[in-house]
Amino acid sequence: MSKLSHLFMLFVLVGFQSTAIATMQNIDNKSSLTGAQVKQLVKKADDFRLGESSAKVVSEVKLYKNDELDKTRQYTVYTREERESLVLFNSQVEAGQKMLMLGDNYWLLMPKSRRSIRITPMQKLLGEASVGDISTLTWSEDYQGEWVESTTTELTDGQAIHSEKIKLKATTKGASYFIIDLWLEQGTGFPIKADLYLRSGKMAKEAWFIKGIREGETKVISMVLNDHIQTNQKTVIEYKDITPTEIADKYYNPAYLSRTKQLDL
């Protein structure tokens, strides 16, 4: 082969490689999500879970140990904007207990106590079914999202779903979990699963979101939490009813709640 022919072949080869690399880069750029797209997708995921700025959420929580049902608890949560929630404990063994969350401030109210008890974000996570899991935290308000990759997520039944993996980092001191790896269905933003990490970096729970129909619309109807600390435990939170509801400002006052044993709600 002449020197000229050799140079020509080399030029063609380099050009082909450059074209291939550019094509791959275009594919990668096309598949990645911008910050605005991530924010919109995370907001869609929130809407599938709650969908109302002010709502009454009735939940039933089932605790399993070694795959056997151990306890069942009922809760009613009143939520509104600005990350404010009131949790009422309805089961007989917990009757009269309340949890009030106003931004990054939390109070536990016991039926036989005249004073509310200030608690920390970590104490909010204590218990078999932590209030942080029950109180329907909003990802779009409490976290900053960053796109990680487009991938395929396999459900527990073996079905494969095209998804976007999003890493959420807490922007508030009171967020239940510091880091959340979240998988959302491509296009719709429906939440598939989430890995929940504590501030220490330890993975606390793995959450799976169950799709169903509520009031004629596709929604999250339950959440399964696999405990990665007490590995023999699993919690299932079923959303029995979610209705748009606004309650008076007085119910978001810890002083009022501590002196009022029976709430007229």
Side-chain angles (χ1 to χ4, degrees):
M1 181 182 294
S2 68
K3 190 175 292 184
L4 182 63
S5 298
H6 180 76
L7 288 173
F8 177 76
M9 291 297 294
L10 184 62
F11 175 78
V12 171
L13 180 60
V14 170
F16 176 78
Q17 289 176 331
S18 299
T19 302
I21 291 171
T23 302
M24 292 179 67
Q25 287 176 337
N26 288 336
I27 291 173
D28 288 342
N29 291 336
K30 185 177 180 180
S31 64
S32 63
L33 301 181
T34 66
Q37 289 173 319
V38 169
K39 189 173 182 178
Q40 183 181 32
L41 202 62
V42 172
K43 181 63 173 65
K44 285 182 179 180
D46 274 340
D47 290 340
F48 280 116
R49 296 162 65 227
L50 188 58
E52 304 290 344
S53 57
S54 298
K56 174 185 177 182
V57 183
V58 179
S59 303
E60 182 175 79
V61 178
K62 296 179 179 179
L63 174 69
Y64 292 83
K65 289 186 177 181
N66 299 316
D67 293 325
E68 293 186 3
L69 181 62
D70 182 59
K71 297 175 184 177
T72 301
R73 299 285 186 265
Q74 286 82 32
Y75 302 89
T76 300
V77 182
Y78 293 90
T79 68
R80 67 178 186 179
E81 293 179 338
E82 305 300 325
R83 299 168 48 237
E84 297 185 344
S85 299
L86 172 63
V87 181
L88 306 181
F89 297 64
N90 300 330
S91 299
Q92 186 174 356
V93 295
E94 301 174 322
Q97 294 184 37
K98 310 174 191 70
M99 179 80 73
L100 180 63
M101 291 169 281
L102 304 179
D104 293 329
N105 299 304
Y106 312 99
W107 292 266
L108 177 65
L109 301 109
M110 305 299 290
K112 295 183 180 181
S113 174
R114 295 183 179 181
R115 299 185 63 182
S116 56
I117 304 169
R118 285 291 295 265
I119 61 173
T120 67
M122 182 56 67
Q123 288 172 319
K124 178 167 65 81
L125 283 175
L126 298 178
E128 293 152 346
S130 74
V131 178
D133 298 322
I134 298 166
S135 61
T136 62
L137 79 163
T138 55
W139 294 320
S140 55
E141 292 183 9
D142 292 339
Y143 294 85
Q144 177 69 42
E146 179 183 354
W147 181 82
V148 178
E149 63 176 344
S150 297
T151 185
T152 300
T153 305
E154 186 173 326
L155 305 184
T156 54
D157 63 1
Q159 181 184 0
I161 301 292
H162 295 300
S163 62
E164 304 290 353
K165 182 180 178 181
I166 308 295
K167 183 173 289 292
L168 300 178
K169 296 182 180 180
T171 56
T172 61
K173 293 187 298 183
S176 296
Y177 302 98
F178 185 60
I179 295 288
I180 298 177
D181 285 336
L182 180 63
W183 285 262
L184 305 178
E185 185 176 29
Q186 284 184 4
T188 69
F190 189 92
I192 302 171
K193 66 166 289 191
D195 291 342
L196 312 172
Y197 293 85
L198 303 177
R199 189 170 293 272
S200 65
K202 185 177 182 63
M203 181 173 170
K205 295 174 184 176
E206 175 192 65
W208 288 90
F209 303 93
I210 309 304
K211 182 185 293 188
I213 301 298
R214 188 172 66 236
E215 297 180 355
E217 296 184 350
T218 300
K219 295 287 185 180
V220 174
I221 59 171
S222 65
M223 177 170 62
V224 179
L225 293 160
N226 297 315
D227 199 314
H228 276 238
I229 297 175
Q230 301 182 67
T231 55
N232 67 327
Q233 292 191 8
K234 177 180 73 173
T235 302
V236 178
I237 302 176
E238 298 180 6
Y239 301 109
K240 295 296 186 181
D241 183 50
I242 299 179
T243 54
T245 304
E246 293 188 14
I247 60 176
D249 289 344
K250 64 183 180 181
Y251 295 114
Y252 292 95
N253 185 326
Y256 176 81
L257 293 175
S258 61
R259 66 174 182 265
T260 307
K261 302 307 177 184
Q262 296 294 328
L263 300 184
D264 185 21
L265 290 171

